[in-house]
Amino acid sequence: MDTQLVVLGGGPGGYAAAFMAADLGLEVALVDLEPRLGGVCLLRGCIPSKALLHVAKGMAEARHLADWGVSFPQPAIDLAAMRARKEKVIATLSGGLAQLSKRRSVRLVRARAVFEDSQTLKLESAGQALSDERLRFGHCILATGSGPTRLAALELPSPRVMDSTSALELPDVPESLLVVGGGYIGLEMGTVYAALGSRVSVVEMTDGLLPGVDRDLVKPLHKRLEKEFDAIWLNTKVVALADKKDSIEVTLDGQIEERVRRFSRVLVAVGRRPNSGGLGLEKTKAEIDPRGFVVVDRRQRSADPHLFAIGDVAGEPMLAHKAAHEGKVAAEAIAGDASAEFDPRAIPAVVFTDPEIAWAGLTQTEAEKQSRRVEVAQFPWAASGRAQAVGRIEGLTKWIIDPESQRVVGCGIVGAGAGELIAEAVMAIELGAQVQDVAEAIHPHPTLSETLGFAAEVHLGTATDVYRPKTRKETKA
Ligand code: NAD
């Protein structure tokens, strides 16, 4: 046996699992093809996109100050400096991970690994003479993540057609950009490019942006994006792309008048697929479901007793924080902790647009789909002193409440900073708080976090800033 545990994939799920396993006393090897640790999230996903969204936010806020009588000259943009700053963020975090691996004696192996059987990985060359090397292990945690979905109609070998990776490299500020897919990536990157000065259009095949997210949360974002973007085409698909040298000719199909249009660049962000192919998993006993996810139980065990899987490759939602928690569960289970299970009541999700949208636990849409009876308590940010003071009154905070137990089972927020605010809701839901507990917890004034307390008060009929006497009478009855 070369090592007790191999973690395959150095993203936020993989390194969390490797570090936890090492802390629990296991001998760990972490295998990744990349020279740097961090995976998609750190190297070309969550972190660089948030660095660029930080720039977009600063620019939007500076513009917004015109409403308060303060205006600035047009900003001068130095793309090379912006790229360098983004790169510095990545390098710092990735360097930190390398140091942490060293301190924990986690062996880093730079190679492409393919299963030969349930306990052997063949390490394929990554520019080094590894072709004959094999790694034998007791257990393996598969943390290989996901990659962009590719659609035949959108395959065009042109640098003008980008995926999230190339879009994050900021090759230039295109005069016009078509974003295909009105999901997380499309809207976040569309926001960045629009702030930098591109004319951004979005084409989404369903009847709304961010399909699956509660419509009342999406509405304020849609309204704002209609101003920031050139166009948002719903119920529309791209059927063909053609390279016209200085632009991409796009043929659209849907509720749109002019079907053939030209854009300087196109960003394709139509979803992600688990990276479970090409790994030799057929030589193990692991089962793969029809969508490509490795089937796991609550301890992250696959059908093969030697193999665990976590993160994007092990199922939805494809979010880094879910991967990290699953990784820790897998490490604990392998180290012999019989109680280790992944059993959350609430996994938060955040779309880092402006305004942000965040939710956790049960959503109203899911409750409707399940025909589950819930009560919904809402607080419109127009009634928040802080929201008024910062000119962000379009927000909304709502709790989803179980009518019998009066426990909060879900929360949805749209508004500036919603991604930070949702953490309180996660805690309340995880701890099984009742709506009254949330109302009685004193929130600091004047903050946007108050809207969580106020929404709970609306439900109880005790809100100061919203007149809802009916609700109060019902509660008293
Ligand atoms: P997504 O599933 O969020 O959105 C894809 C969108 O593309 C959907 O709205 C879908 O209806 C649309 N679509 C699909 N085919 C289309 C077509 N042919 N024409 C037009 N529209 C089409 O996927 P994504 O934005 O690529 O992001 C992938 C995953 O990455 C997300 O599911 C998420 O888990 C993760 N992610 C998370 C964050 C975050 O947490 N803030 C940010 C980026 C990505």
Side-chain angles (χ1 to χ4, degrees), residues 291-325:
R291 296 176 61 201
F293 292 115
V294 177
V295 180
V296 292
D297 66 10
R298 275 149 73 120
R299 288 163 66 72
Q300 305 302 134
R301 287 180 304 201
S302 76
D304 189 314
H306 297 284
L307 246 181
F308 286 62
I310 61 158
D312 290 8
V313 77
E316 303 263 15
M318 295 194 193
L319 298 171
H321 41 276
K322 174 220 151 214
H325 277 260

PDB file of all heavy atoms in Angstrom, residues 291-325:
ATOM      1  N   ARG A 291     -26.969  11.094 -15.276  1.00  0.00           N
ATOM      2  CA  ARG A 291     -26.452  12.461 -15.499  1.00  0.00           C
ATOM      3  C   ARG A 291     -24.942  12.544 -15.297  1.00  0.00           C
ATOM      4  O   ARG A 291     -24.347  13.603 -15.427  1.00  0.00           O
ATOM      5  CB  ARG A 291     -27.166  13.437 -14.569  1.00  0.00           C
ATOM      6  CG  ARG A 291     -28.663  13.524 -14.876  1.00  0.00           C
ATOM      7  CD  ARG A 291     -29.369  14.412 -13.885  1.00  0.00           C
ATOM      8  NE  ARG A 291     -28.854  15.760 -13.930  1.00  0.00           N
ATOM      9  CZ  ARG A 291     -28.966  16.647 -12.951  1.00  0.00           C
ATOM     10  NH1 ARG A 291     -29.547  16.311 -11.828  1.00  0.00           N
ATOM     11  NH2 ARG A 291     -28.484  17.862 -13.074  1.00  0.00           N
ATOM     12  N   GLY A 292     -24.328  11.407 -14.927  1.00  0.00           N
ATOM     13  CA  GLY A 292     -22.865  11.392 -14.798  1.00  0.00           C
ATOM     14  C   GLY A 292     -22.368  11.566 -13.371  1.00  0.00           C
ATOM     15  O   GLY A 292     -21.155  11.606 -13.132  1.00  0.00           O
ATOM     16  N   PHE A 293     -23.282  11.672 -12.398  1.00  0.00           N
ATOM     17  CA  PHE A 293     -22.849  11.822 -10.996  1.00  0.00           C
ATOM     18  C   PHE A 293     -22.504  10.449 -10.407  1.00  0.00           C
ATOM     19  O   PHE A 293     -23.196   9.455 -10.669  1.00  0.00           O
ATOM     20  CB  PHE A 293     -23.967  12.445 -10.144  1.00  0.00           C
ATOM     21  CG  PHE A 293     -24.262  13.878 -10.487  1.00  0.00           C
ATOM     22  CD1 PHE A 293     -25.495  14.242 -11.016  1.00  0.00           C
ATOM     23  CD2 PHE A 293     -23.310  14.868 -10.270  1.00  0.00           C
ATOM     24  CE1 PHE A 293     -25.779  15.569 -11.326  1.00  0.00           C
ATOM     25  CE2 PHE A 293     -23.587  16.203 -10.576  1.00  0.00           C
ATOM     26  CZ  PHE A 293     -24.816  16.552 -11.111  1.00  0.00           C
ATOM     27  N   VAL A 294     -21.472  10.405  -9.578  1.00  0.00           N
ATOM     28  CA  VAL A 294     -21.143   9.174  -8.845  1.00  0.00           C
ATOM     29  C   VAL A 294     -22.182   9.032  -7.725  1.00  0.00           C
ATOM     30  O   VAL A 294     -22.429   9.983  -6.978  1.00  0.00           O
ATOM     31  CB  VAL A 294     -19.719   9.255  -8.241  1.00  0.00           C
ATOM     32  CG1 VAL A 294     -19.411   8.005  -7.434  1.00  0.00           C
ATOM     33  CG2 VAL A 294     -18.689   9.453  -9.344  1.00  0.00           C
ATOM     34  N   VAL A 295     -22.808   7.865  -7.649  1.00  0.00           N
ATOM     35  CA  VAL A 295     -23.863   7.650  -6.655  1.00  0.00           C
ATOM     36  C   VAL A 295     -23.213   7.402  -5.289  1.00  0.00           C
ATOM     37  O   VAL A 295     -22.350   6.534  -5.155  1.00  0.00           O
ATOM     38  CB  VAL A 295     -24.753   6.441  -7.063  1.00  0.00           C
ATOM     39  CG1 VAL A 295     -25.857   6.212  -6.040  1.00  0.00           C
ATOM     40  CG2 VAL A 295     -25.333   6.659  -8.459  1.00  0.00           C
ATOM     41  N   VAL A 296     -23.628   8.198  -4.299  1.00  0.00           N
ATOM     42  CA  VAL A 296     -23.059   8.049  -2.947  1.00  0.00           C
ATOM     43  C   VAL A 296     -24.161   7.996  -1.893  1.00  0.00           C
ATOM     44  O   VAL A 296     -25.279   8.447  -2.139  1.00  0.00           O
ATOM     45  CB  VAL A 296     -22.101   9.225  -2.582  1.00  0.00           C
ATOM     46  CG1 VAL A 296     -20.845   9.183  -3.421  1.00  0.00           C
ATOM     47  CG2 VAL A 296     -22.797  10.573  -2.710  1.00  0.00           C
ATOM     48  N   ASP A 297     -23.803   7.469  -0.712  1.00  0.00           N
ATOM     49  CA  ASP A 297     -24.747   7.488   0.410  1.00  0.00           C
ATOM     50  C   ASP A 297     -24.469   8.706   1.288  1.00  0.00           C
ATOM     51  O   ASP A 297     -23.673   9.576   0.910  1.00  0.00           O
ATOM     52  CB  ASP A 297     -24.681   6.170   1.199  1.00  0.00           C
ATOM     53  CG  ASP A 297     -23.329   5.983   1.892  1.00  0.00           C
ATOM     54  OD1 ASP A 297     -22.522   6.944   1.933  1.00  0.00           O
ATOM     55  OD2 ASP A 297     -23.079   4.875   2.397  1.00  0.00           O
ATOM     56  N   ARG A 298     -25.109   8.761   2.460  1.00  0.00           N
ATOM     57  CA  ARG A 298     -24.962   9.956   3.311  1.00  0.00           C
ATOM     58  C   ARG A 298     -23.572  10.101   3.915  1.00  0.00           C
ATOM     59  O   ARG A 298     -23.238  11.132   4.450  1.00  0.00           O
ATOM     60  CB  ARG A 298     -26.022   9.931   4.416  1.00  0.00           C
ATOM     61  CG  ARG A 298     -27.332  10.520   3.934  1.00  0.00           C
ATOM     62  CD  ARG A 298     -28.515   9.880   4.602  1.00  0.00           C
ATOM     63  NE  ARG A 298     -28.653  10.283   5.983  1.00  0.00           N
ATOM     64  CZ  ARG A 298     -29.729  10.914   6.466  1.00  0.00           C
ATOM     65  NH1 ARG A 298     -30.704  11.260   5.646  1.00  0.00           N
ATOM     66  NH2 ARG A 298     -29.822  11.188   7.740  1.00  0.00           N
ATOM     67  N   ARG A 299     -22.773   9.034   3.825  1.00  0.00           N
ATOM     68  CA  ARG A 299     -21.382   9.121   4.297  1.00  0.00           C
ATOM     69  C   ARG A 299     -20.420   9.339   3.120  1.00  0.00           C
ATOM     70  O   ARG A 299     -19.229   9.210   3.268  1.00  0.00           O
ATOM     71  CB  ARG A 299     -21.023   7.861   5.087  1.00  0.00           C
ATOM     72  CG  ARG A 299     -21.728   7.842   6.451  1.00  0.00           C
ATOM     73  CD  ARG A 299     -21.761   6.490   7.100  1.00  0.00           C
ATOM     74  NE  ARG A 299     -20.484   5.933   7.502  1.00  0.00           N
ATOM     75  CZ  ARG A 299     -19.743   6.362   8.536  1.00  0.00           C
ATOM     76  NH1 ARG A 299     -20.156   7.398   9.226  1.00  0.00           N
ATOM     77  NH2 ARG A 299     -18.618   5.763   8.848  1.00  0.00           N
ATOM     78  N   GLN A 300     -20.994   9.634   1.954  1.00  0.00           N
ATOM     79  CA  GLN A 300     -20.238   9.910   0.719  1.00  0.00           C
ATOM     80  C   GLN A 300     -19.592   8.649   0.131  1.00  0.00           C
ATOM     81  O   GLN A 300     -18.704   8.741  -0.704  1.00  0.00           O
ATOM     82  CB  GLN A 300     -19.162  11.002   0.930  1.00  0.00           C
ATOM     83  CG  GLN A 300     -19.679  12.308   1.499  1.00  0.00           C
ATOM     84  CD  GLN A 300     -20.755  12.975   0.659  1.00  0.00           C
ATOM     85  OE1 GLN A 300     -21.774  13.416   1.187  1.00  0.00           O
ATOM     86  NE2 GLN A 300     -20.567  13.030  -0.636  1.00  0.00           N
ATOM     87  N   ARG A 301     -20.058   7.462   0.585  1.00  0.00           N
ATOM     88  CA  ARG A 301     -19.497   6.216   0.055  1.00  0.00           C
ATOM     89  C   ARG A 301     -20.144   5.864  -1.275  1.00  0.00           C
ATOM     90  O   ARG A 301     -21.364   5.921  -1.409  1.00  0.00           O
ATOM     91  CB  ARG A 301     -19.758   5.058   1.029  1.00  0.00           C
ATOM     92  CG  ARG A 301     -18.920   5.103   2.271  1.00  0.00           C
ATOM     93  CD  ARG A 301     -19.246   3.937   3.163  1.00  0.00           C
ATOM     94  NE  ARG A 301     -20.675   3.911   3.485  1.00  0.00           N
ATOM     95  CZ  ARG A 301     -21.191   3.266   4.535  1.00  0.00           C
ATOM     96  NH1 ARG A 301     -20.416   2.588   5.333  1.00  0.00           N
ATOM     97  NH2 ARG A 301     -22.491   3.300   4.768  1.00  0.00           N
ATOM     98  N   SER A 302     -19.331   5.455  -2.224  1.00  0.00           N
ATOM     99  CA  SER A 302     -19.880   4.974  -3.498  1.00  0.00           C
ATOM    100  C   SER A 302     -20.208   3.495  -3.328  1.00  0.00           C
ATOM    101  O   SER A 302     -20.049   2.936  -2.240  1.00  0.00           O
ATOM    102  CB  SER A 302     -18.849   5.172  -4.610  1.00  0.00           C
ATOM    103  OG  SER A 302     -17.850   4.171  -4.503  1.00  0.00           O
ATOM    104  N   ALA A 303     -20.645   2.861  -4.421  1.00  0.00           N
ATOM    105  CA  ALA A 303     -20.948   1.431  -4.359  1.00  0.00           C
ATOM    106  C   ALA A 303     -19.673   0.598  -4.200  1.00  0.00           C
ATOM    107  O   ALA A 303     -19.729  -0.591  -3.912  1.00  0.00           O
ATOM    108  CB  ALA A 303     -21.705   1.020  -5.621  1.00  0.00           C
ATOM    109  N   ASP A 304     -18.527   1.209  -4.418  1.00  0.00           N
ATOM    110  CA  ASP A 304     -17.244   0.520  -4.218  1.00  0.00           C
ATOM    111  C   ASP A 304     -16.739   0.852  -2.813  1.00  0.00           C
ATOM    112  O   ASP A 304     -16.567   2.041  -2.486  1.00  0.00           O
ATOM    113  CB  ASP A 304     -16.232   1.017  -5.273  1.00  0.00           C
ATOM    114  CG  ASP A 304     -14.959   0.211  -5.265  1.00  0.00           C
ATOM    115  OD1 ASP A 304     -14.428  -0.047  -4.158  1.00  0.00           O
ATOM    116  OD2 ASP A 304     -14.486  -0.163  -6.351  1.00  0.00           O
ATOM    117  N   PRO A 305     -16.508  -0.155  -1.965  1.00  0.00           N
ATOM    118  CA  PRO A 305     -16.132   0.141  -0.574  1.00  0.00           C
ATOM    119  C   PRO A 305     -14.839   0.949  -0.413  1.00  0.00           C
ATOM    120  O   PRO A 305     -14.624   1.560   0.619  1.00  0.00           O
ATOM    121  CB  PRO A 305     -15.967  -1.255   0.053  1.00  0.00           C
ATOM    122  CG  PRO A 305     -15.942  -2.225  -1.069  1.00  0.00           C
ATOM    123  CD  PRO A 305     -16.637  -1.597  -2.230  1.00  0.00           C
ATOM    124  N   HIS A 306     -14.004   0.982  -1.437  1.00  0.00           N
ATOM    125  CA  HIS A 306     -12.759   1.746  -1.341  1.00  0.00           C
ATOM    126  C   HIS A 306     -12.901   3.185  -1.828  1.00  0.00           C
ATOM    127  O   HIS A 306     -11.986   3.980  -1.698  1.00  0.00           O
ATOM    128  CB  HIS A 306     -11.652   1.058  -2.175  1.00  0.00           C
ATOM    129  CG  HIS A 306     -11.326  -0.304  -1.667  1.00  0.00           C
ATOM    130  ND1 HIS A 306     -10.573  -0.512  -0.539  1.00  0.00           N
ATOM    131  CD2 HIS A 306     -11.685  -1.526  -2.115  1.00  0.00           C
ATOM    132  CE1 HIS A 306     -10.470  -1.805  -0.317  1.00  0.00           C
ATOM    133  NE2 HIS A 306     -11.142  -2.441  -1.257  1.00  0.00           N
ATOM    134  N   LEU A 307     -14.044   3.468  -2.431  1.00  0.00           N
ATOM    135  CA  LEU A 307     -14.192   4.757  -3.117  1.00  0.00           C
ATOM    136  C   LEU A 307     -15.287   5.640  -2.523  1.00  0.00           C
ATOM    137  O   LEU A 307     -16.426   5.193  -2.378  1.00  0.00           O
ATOM    138  CB  LEU A 307     -14.573   4.472  -4.565  1.00  0.00           C
ATOM    139  CG  LEU A 307     -13.595   4.840  -5.649  1.00  0.00           C
ATOM    140  CD1 LEU A 307     -14.169   4.491  -7.010  1.00  0.00           C
ATOM    141  CD2 LEU A 307     -13.277   6.320  -5.596  1.00  0.00           C
ATOM    142  N   PHE A 308     -14.930   6.872  -2.222  1.00  0.00           N
ATOM    143  CA  PHE A 308     -15.876   7.880  -1.775  1.00  0.00           C
ATOM    144  C   PHE A 308     -15.921   8.971  -2.851  1.00  0.00           C
ATOM    145  O   PHE A 308     -14.973   9.099  -3.635  1.00  0.00           O
ATOM    146  CB  PHE A 308     -15.434   8.497  -0.441  1.00  0.00           C
ATOM    147  CG  PHE A 308     -15.619   7.586   0.747  1.00  0.00           C
ATOM    148  CD1 PHE A 308     -14.952   6.366   0.832  1.00  0.00           C
ATOM    149  CD2 PHE A 308     -16.451   7.959   1.791  1.00  0.00           C
ATOM    150  CE1 PHE A 308     -15.125   5.523   1.927  1.00  0.00           C
ATOM    151  CE2 PHE A 308     -16.628   7.135   2.894  1.00  0.00           C
ATOM    152  CZ  PHE A 308     -15.963   5.913   2.963  1.00  0.00           C
ATOM    153  N   ALA A 309     -16.986   9.739  -2.907  1.00  0.00           N
ATOM    154  CA  ALA A 309     -17.029  10.860  -3.867  1.00  0.00           C
ATOM    155  C   ALA A 309     -17.690  12.051  -3.196  1.00  0.00           C
ATOM    156  O   ALA A 309     -18.614  11.897  -2.391  1.00  0.00           O
ATOM    157  CB  ALA A 309     -17.789  10.463  -5.127  1.00  0.00           C
ATOM    158  N   ILE A 310     -17.197  13.235  -3.529  1.00  0.00           N
ATOM    159  CA  ILE A 310     -17.692  14.472  -2.913  1.00  0.00           C
ATOM    160  C   ILE A 310     -17.775  15.590  -3.958  1.00  0.00           C
ATOM    161  O   ILE A 310     -17.150  15.510  -5.014  1.00  0.00           O
ATOM    162  CB  ILE A 310     -16.744  14.938  -1.779  1.00  0.00           C
ATOM    163  CG1 ILE A 310     -15.332  15.224  -2.343  1.00  0.00           C
ATOM    164  CG2 ILE A 310     -16.661  13.913  -0.661  1.00  0.00           C
ATOM    165  CD1 ILE A 310     -14.517  16.137  -1.478  1.00  0.00           C
ATOM    166  N   GLY A 311     -18.520  16.623  -3.627  1.00  0.00           N
ATOM    167  CA  GLY A 311     -18.539  17.824  -4.462  1.00  0.00           C
ATOM    168  C   GLY A 311     -19.323  17.657  -5.750  1.00  0.00           C
ATOM    169  O   GLY A 311     -20.243  16.837  -5.837  1.00  0.00           O
ATOM    170  N   ASP A 312     -18.942  18.432  -6.764  1.00  0.00           N
ATOM    171  CA  ASP A 312     -19.709  18.477  -8.022  1.00  0.00           C
ATOM    172  C   ASP A 312     -19.873  17.099  -8.662  1.00  0.00           C
ATOM    173  O   ASP A 312     -20.881  16.829  -9.306  1.00  0.00           O
ATOM    174  CB  ASP A 312     -19.018  19.396  -9.045  1.00  0.00           C
ATOM    175  CG  ASP A 312     -19.095  20.869  -8.662  1.00  0.00           C
ATOM    176  OD1 ASP A 312     -19.550  21.170  -7.540  1.00  0.00           O
ATOM    177  OD2 ASP A 312     -18.685  21.713  -9.485  1.00  0.00           O
ATOM    178  N   VAL A 313     -18.868  16.234  -8.505  1.00  0.00           N
ATOM    179  CA  VAL A 313     -18.939  14.920  -9.164  1.00  0.00           C
ATOM    180  C   VAL A 313     -19.930  13.997  -8.443  1.00  0.00           C
ATOM    181  O   VAL A 313     -20.333  12.975  -8.980  1.00  0.00           O
ATOM    182  CB  VAL A 313     -17.525  14.280  -9.277  1.00  0.00           C
ATOM    183  CG1 VAL A 313     -17.052  13.694  -7.947  1.00  0.00           C
ATOM    184  CG2 VAL A 313     -17.478  13.227 -10.382  1.00  0.00           C
ATOM    185  N   ALA A 314     -20.336  14.404  -7.219  1.00  0.00           N
ATOM    186  CA  ALA A 314     -21.220  13.546  -6.426  1.00  0.00           C
ATOM    187  C   ALA A 314     -22.649  14.083  -6.356  1.00  0.00           C
ATOM    188  O   ALA A 314     -23.456  13.573  -5.588  1.00  0.00           O
ATOM    189  CB  ALA A 314     -20.653  13.395  -5.015  1.00  0.00           C
ATOM    190  N   GLY A 315     -22.963  15.122  -7.138  1.00  0.00           N
ATOM    191  CA  GLY A 315     -24.357  15.575  -7.197  1.00  0.00           C
ATOM    192  C   GLY A 315     -24.552  17.047  -6.938  1.00  0.00           C
ATOM    193  O   GLY A 315     -23.642  17.749  -6.507  1.00  0.00           O
ATOM    194  N   GLU A 316     -25.780  17.500  -7.223  1.00  0.00           N
ATOM    195  CA  GLU A 316     -26.163  18.900  -7.046  1.00  0.00           C
ATOM    196  C   GLU A 316     -26.372  19.196  -5.557  1.00  0.00           C
ATOM    197  O   GLU A 316     -26.641  18.268  -4.802  1.00  0.00           O
ATOM    198  CB  GLU A 316     -27.479  19.164  -7.791  1.00  0.00           C
ATOM    199  CG  GLU A 316     -27.423  18.847  -9.259  1.00  0.00           C
ATOM    200  CD  GLU A 316     -27.158  20.074 -10.129  1.00  0.00           C
ATOM    201  OE1 GLU A 316     -26.736  21.112  -9.580  1.00  0.00           O
ATOM    202  OE2 GLU A 316     -27.380  19.981 -11.334  1.00  0.00           O
ATOM    203  N   PRO A 317     -26.348  20.448  -5.142  1.00  0.00           N
ATOM    204  CA  PRO A 317     -25.932  21.609  -5.915  1.00  0.00           C
ATOM    205  C   PRO A 317     -24.410  21.660  -6.074  1.00  0.00           C
ATOM    206  O   PRO A 317     -23.677  21.241  -5.192  1.00  0.00           O
ATOM    207  CB  PRO A 317     -26.417  22.791  -5.062  1.00  0.00           C
ATOM    208  CG  PRO A 317     -26.401  22.287  -3.661  1.00  0.00           C
ATOM    209  CD  PRO A 317     -26.727  20.828  -3.751  1.00  0.00           C
ATOM    210  N   MET A 318     -23.978  22.171  -7.226  1.00  0.00           N
ATOM    211  CA  MET A 318     -22.538  22.228  -7.497  1.00  0.00           C
ATOM    212  C   MET A 318     -21.968  23.492  -6.864  1.00  0.00           C
ATOM    213  O   MET A 318     -21.795  24.507  -7.537  1.00  0.00           O
ATOM    214  CB  MET A 318     -22.305  22.224  -9.000  1.00  0.00           C
ATOM    215  CG  MET A 318     -22.746  20.945  -9.674  1.00  0.00           C
ATOM    216  SD  MET A 318     -22.051  20.879 -11.329  1.00  0.00           S
ATOM    217  CE  MET A 318     -22.990  19.567 -12.051  1.00  0.00           C
ATOM    218  N   LEU A 319     -21.724  23.432  -5.588  1.00  0.00           N
ATOM    219  CA  LEU A 319     -21.255  24.607  -4.850  1.00  0.00           C
ATOM    220  C   LEU A 319     -20.057  24.229  -3.985  1.00  0.00           C
ATOM    221  O   LEU A 319     -20.045  23.160  -3.363  1.00  0.00           O
ATOM    222  CB  LEU A 319     -22.382  25.161  -3.979  1.00  0.00           C
ATOM    223  CG  LEU A 319     -23.617  25.654  -4.740  1.00  0.00           C
ATOM    224  CD1 LEU A 319     -24.761  25.965  -3.786  1.00  0.00           C
ATOM    225  CD2 LEU A 319     -23.279  26.881  -5.593  1.00  0.00           C
ATOM    226  N   ALA A 320     -19.079  25.125  -3.897  1.00  0.00           N
ATOM    227  CA  ALA A 320     -17.828  24.830  -3.207  1.00  0.00           C
ATOM    228  C   ALA A 320     -18.048  24.501  -1.731  1.00  0.00           C
ATOM    229  O   ALA A 320     -17.427  23.587  -1.191  1.00  0.00           O
ATOM    230  CB  ALA A 320     -16.878  26.020  -3.342  1.00  0.00           C
ATOM    231  N   HIS A 321     -18.935  25.259  -1.076  1.00  0.00           N
ATOM    232  CA  HIS A 321     -19.121  25.037   0.365  1.00  0.00           C
ATOM    233  C   HIS A 321     -19.776  23.693   0.636  1.00  0.00           C
ATOM    234  O   HIS A 321     -19.502  23.066   1.659  1.00  0.00           O
ATOM    235  CB  HIS A 321     -19.906  26.182   1.021  1.00  0.00           C
ATOM    236  CG  HIS A 321     -21.067  26.682   0.212  1.00  0.00           C
ATOM    237  ND1 HIS A 321     -20.918  27.610  -0.793  1.00  0.00           N
ATOM    238  CD2 HIS A 321     -22.381  26.390   0.251  1.00  0.00           C
ATOM    239  CE1 HIS A 321     -22.115  27.869  -1.313  1.00  0.00           C
ATOM    240  NE2 HIS A 321     -23.005  27.128  -0.697  1.00  0.00           N
ATOM    241  N   LYS A 322     -20.619  23.236  -0.265  1.00  0.00           N
ATOM    242  CA  LYS A 322     -21.202  21.898  -0.105  1.00  0.00           C
ATOM    243  C   LYS A 322     -20.099  20.852  -0.278  1.00  0.00           C
ATOM    244  O   LYS A 322     -20.001  19.888   0.477  1.00  0.00           O
ATOM    245  CB  LYS A 322     -22.320  21.695  -1.128  1.00  0.00           C
ATOM    246  CG  LYS A 322     -22.900  20.304  -1.141  1.00  0.00           C
ATOM    247  CD  LYS A 322     -23.152  19.892  -2.584  1.00  0.00           C
ATOM    248  CE  LYS A 322     -23.064  18.456  -2.867  1.00  0.00           C
ATOM    249  NZ  LYS A 322     -22.559  18.077  -4.159  1.00  0.00           N
ATOM    250  N   ALA A 323     -19.221  21.069  -1.258  1.00  0.00           N
ATOM    251  CA  ALA A 323     -18.115  20.133  -1.507  1.00  0.00           C
ATOM    252  C   ALA A 323     -17.211  20.021  -0.284  1.00  0.00           C
ATOM    253  O   ALA A 323     -16.821  18.919   0.118  1.00  0.00           O
ATOM    254  CB  ALA A 323     -17.309  20.605  -2.715  1.00  0.00           C
ATOM    255  N   ALA A 324     -16.886  21.158   0.329  1.00  0.00           N
ATOM    256  CA  ALA A 324     -15.968  21.150   1.474  1.00  0.00           C
ATOM    257  C   ALA A 324     -16.579  20.366   2.638  1.00  0.00           C
ATOM    258  O   ALA A 324     -15.891  19.572   3.287  1.00  0.00           O
ATOM    259  CB  ALA A 324     -15.659  22.582   1.897  1.00  0.00           C
ATOM    260  N   HIS A 325     -17.868  20.578   2.874  1.00  0.00           N
ATOM    261  CA  HIS A 325     -18.507  19.849   3.978  1.00  0.00           C
ATOM    262  C   HIS A 325     -18.572  18.354   3.681  1.00  0.00           C
ATOM    263  O   HIS A 325     -18.321  17.534   4.562  1.00  0.00           O
ATOM    264  CB  HIS A 325     -19.893  20.428   4.277  1.00  0.00           C
ATOM    265  CG  HIS A 325     -19.816  21.630   5.172  1.00  0.00           C
ATOM    266  ND1 HIS A 325     -20.059  21.577   6.519  1.00  0.00           N
ATOM    267  CD2 HIS A 325     -19.444  22.901   4.904  1.00  0.00           C
ATOM    268  CE1 HIS A 325     -19.861  22.784   7.052  1.00  0.00           C
ATOM    269  NE2 HIS A 325     -19.497  23.598   6.086  1.00  0.00           N
TER     270      HIS A 325
END
